[in-house]
Amino acid sequence: MVEMPVVDQEKCNGCGLCINVCHCNALVLVNNVITVIETEECEWCTQCEAVCPTGAISCPFEIVIEEH
Amino acid sequence: MAVQVEFLESIPYFSGLSLDALDSVRELIFERTSERDELIVLEGESAEALYFVISGAVKMFKTSVEGKEQILSIVRPGESFNDISVFDGGPNPASVQAMGPAVLYGIRRNDLEVILRDHPQVALNVIQVLSQKMRHLMSLVEDLSFRHVTGRIAKILLGHAGNGTGPQPRLTQQEMAAMAGTVREVVGRSLKALEEEGAIRLDRHRIVITDKKALKNMVEAYS
């Protein structure tokens, strides 16, 4: 399973800006709400999160400490 | 595609104009499309036109001599860019790049003067739009000049780091911004700065702390 951006469907207003900026076609509009398609090509650029006017998309980072 | 009056109605610059007025404005507007990543405006060049985003999104940014990018704002449908240089006649203060395919409406400088003379309501709207932009930029100036955001981001990362087992704590850049009392644009830059220092590594959806001691030093240096 590939980690992907998370969409809060309650907040999504279906404007499609995230689809416009996505480099890997991982986002589609289904019934006027954004749905995420799993793809290894997603590089976590977080542009979908940045453009979303309603804060419906989040690209959370896992924070880990590298053990030497 | 012909310039649509319906789109003009949704642009704050033209708020409160009658349909007849919008129709006369429409005649002075040209449409331009941009491909993903296309540079629409180059910092330092003279301004040809004021633009409105109709579809898609663009980012306004400045680049340092070392090539570091600082995003000033993301411009979404209905919003304008290049206002400053069109109004004061100076060079473009920042570059603008399409984040995806974008459709823009443009007004040349001379035509904008005609619109402002014919429709004083537009001048009032412009004052409001520019004031909002100034408010956003002032908050950015404060963050970039007076606040040691990088140190605070370092502290947040240390405070939220998991040990690699079990469910890991997760934070978005927006959440880090809220916690550090800054804006998302500054968090992106701080993370890059920490990565360049070798304290962290951005590994897709993971922020890997590669040098815990360096990160701690940054917290202390900036606190």
Side-chain angles (χ1 to χ4, degrees):
Chain A
M1 193 180 129
V2 186
E3 200 70 38
M4 294 299 292
V6 184
V7 177
D8 182 336
Q9 303 208 330
E10 299 271 301
K11 286 188 185 169
C12 177
N13 66 3
C15 75
L17 268 187
C18 53
I19 300 177
N20 182 274
V21 301
C22 180
H23 286 252
C24 59
N25 302 317
L27 302 165
V28 287
L29 206 54
V30 178
N31 296 328
N32 218 31
V33 168
I34 292 297
T35 303
V36 182
I37 301 167
E38 265 186 46
T39 169
E40 303 227 349
E41 285 177 39
C42 171
E43 293 175 342
W44 219 256
C45 68
T46 77
Q47 293 212 59
C48 52
E49 180 189 77
V51 295
C52 180
T54 62
I57 299 195
S58 50
C59 302
F61 285 91
E62 210 171 70
I63 303 162
V64 293
I65 297 176
E66 192 169 69
E67 298 300 334
H68 294 283
Chain B
M1 204 173 89
V3 171
Q4 304 287 317
V5 167
E6 301 87 81
F7 285 135
L8 294 184
E9 271 183 308
S10 67
I11 296 174
Y13 258 61
F14 306 122
S15 176
L17 291 193
S18 66
L19 280 178
D20 281 350
L22 286 171
D23 211 40
S24 68
V25 167
R26 186 176 63 90
E27 289 171 8
L28 299 172
I29 288 181
F30 64 91
E31 188 180 291
R32 171 178 172 174
T33 54
S34 295
E35 299 299 317
R36 177 189 303 283
D37 297 333
E38 184 180 329
L39 271 169
I40 302 157
V41 167
L42 261 180
E43 183 179 345
E45 288 195 345
S46 62
E48 292 165 9
L50 164 76
Y51 290 103
F52 301 100
V53 176
I54 299 306
S55 71
V58 303
K59 63 175 179 182
M60 191 165 71
F61 64 98
K62 286 186 88 79
T63 314
S64 73
V65 280
E66 298 91 27
K68 283 183 191 166
E69 182 183 287
Q70 173 64 57
I71 295 178
L72 302 177
S73 63
I74 289 174
V75 189
R76 299 182 177 82
E79 296 172 347
S80 57
F81 61 90
N82 233 20
D83 325 52
I84 298 170
S85 37
V86 164
F87 285 123
D88 74 2
N92 300 320
S95 298
V96 178
Q97 187 175 30
M99 296 172 75
V103 177
L104 313 169
Y105 281 176
I107 306 177
R108 287 177 190 86
R109 200 170 166 217
N110 292 344
D111 291 336
L112 190 61
E113 278 180 26
V114 173
I115 292 171
L116 288 168
R117 282 184 217 288
D118 290 351
H119 308 287
Q121 177 63 42
V122 176
L124 293 173
N125 292 342
V126 169
I127 292 170
Q128 193 165 12
V129 168
L130 291 182
S131 301
Q132 284 163 355
K133 288 187 181 196
M134 191 185 280
R135 190 176 287 281
H136 171 78
L137 290 174
M138 281 183 128
S139 134
L140 201 58
V141 165
E142 185 186 4
D143 286 349
L144 294 172
S145 351
F146 303 127
R147 293 185 178 165
H148 301 298
V149 178
T150 303
R152 264 190 273 161
I153 297 294
K155 192 174 181 180
I156 290 165
L157 294 180
L158 284 169
H160 288 80
N163 58 7
T165 58
Q168 303 298 310
R170 286 167 161 256
L171 284 179
T172 64
Q173 290 191 42
Q174 187 61 56
E175 287 163 341
M176 288 182 227
M179 291 164 82
T182 185
V183 289
R184 194 184 186 282
E185 290 89 334
V186 178
V187 172
R189 191 173 115 139
S190 292
L191 289 175
K192 278 195 189 126
L194 290 171
E195 192 173 31
E196 279 163 17
E197 294 278 336
I200 63 167
R201 185 178 72 242
L202 292 169
D203 184 7
R204 197 172 176 267
H205 67 285
R206 279 194 191 89
I207 296 173
V208 183
I209 299 174
T210 49
D211 191 341
K212 199 172 165 182
K213 199 174 167 213
L215 216 50
K216 279 184 175 168
N217 288 343
M218 264 176 235
V219 176
E220 282 163 19
Y222 291 125
S223 58

